[in-house]
Amino acid sequence: MKLYKESVGKSKKIKGNSKEKDCLTKKLILETIGFDSITIQDIFRESGYTGKYETLRGLVLRYQKFGYVAREGKIPYHYFLTDLGFQHLENPTLGRETAVREYNAR
């Protein structure tokens, strides 16, 4: 992934490939959850995620919607990986690969 543009003489930061960042972030979050039942606050503390807490919370809720994680208990909820979540932990780009295969099959 190219992060810097050197054609101007000075290095200027440019936007990286968001697809790669998205998959790396998913892997980071799913690795942090792992085999434990963990709260979002613990995920934020332990993962090394550098974004905002609210963004992390939204990502975990999105992963719940996609079926990668499930929650249990009362507030504060404890999140754990589902079987699909473990598959995505092994291969973070699985969702993109599946979408491309389905698109090409049309």
Side-chain angles (χ1 to χ4, degrees):
M1 178 169 63
K2 189 172 184 179
L3 292 177
Y4 295 95
K5 184 176 181 181
E6 298 177 355
S7 63
V8 187
K10 289 186 175 181
S11 296
K12 292 187 177 183
K13 190 170 184 178
I14 60 173
K15 293 182 180 179
N17 186 345
S18 62
K19 294 177 186 176
E20 290 179 12
K21 288 181 181 180
D22 185 37
C23 292
L24 293 174
T25 303
K26 178 171 69 171
K27 182 177 180 181
L28 176 73
I29 292 170
L30 295 180
E31 280 179 344
T32 304
I33 296 172
F35 291 96
D36 298 330
S37 178
I38 189 169
T39 65
I40 292 180
Q41 291 174 347
D42 293 335
I43 295 169
F44 186 70
R45 257 194 315 264
E46 296 175 16
S47 68
Y49 180 75
T50 57
K52 295 181 180 180
Y53 174 81
E54 292 80 14
T55 305
L56 176 72
R57 196 173 115 234
L59 288 171
V60 172
L61 294 177
R62 179 184 300 169
Y63 299 153
Q64 180 185 358
K65 179 181 173 184
F66 292 159
Y68 307 156
V69 298
R71 71 179 185 192
E72 63 185 358
K74 296 183 179 181
I75 297 177
Y77 298 112
H78 285 76
Y79 293 86
F80 59 93
L81 291 182
T82 63
D83 291 337
L84 183 60
F86 281 110
Q87 291 175 9
H88 281 265
L89 178 59
E90 291 175 13
N91 182 7
T93 60
L94 182 63
R96 294 193 189 281
E97 293 169 4
T98 304
V100 168
R101 268 184 272 149
E102 290 175 358
Y103 179 79
N104 291 334
R106 292 186 200 177

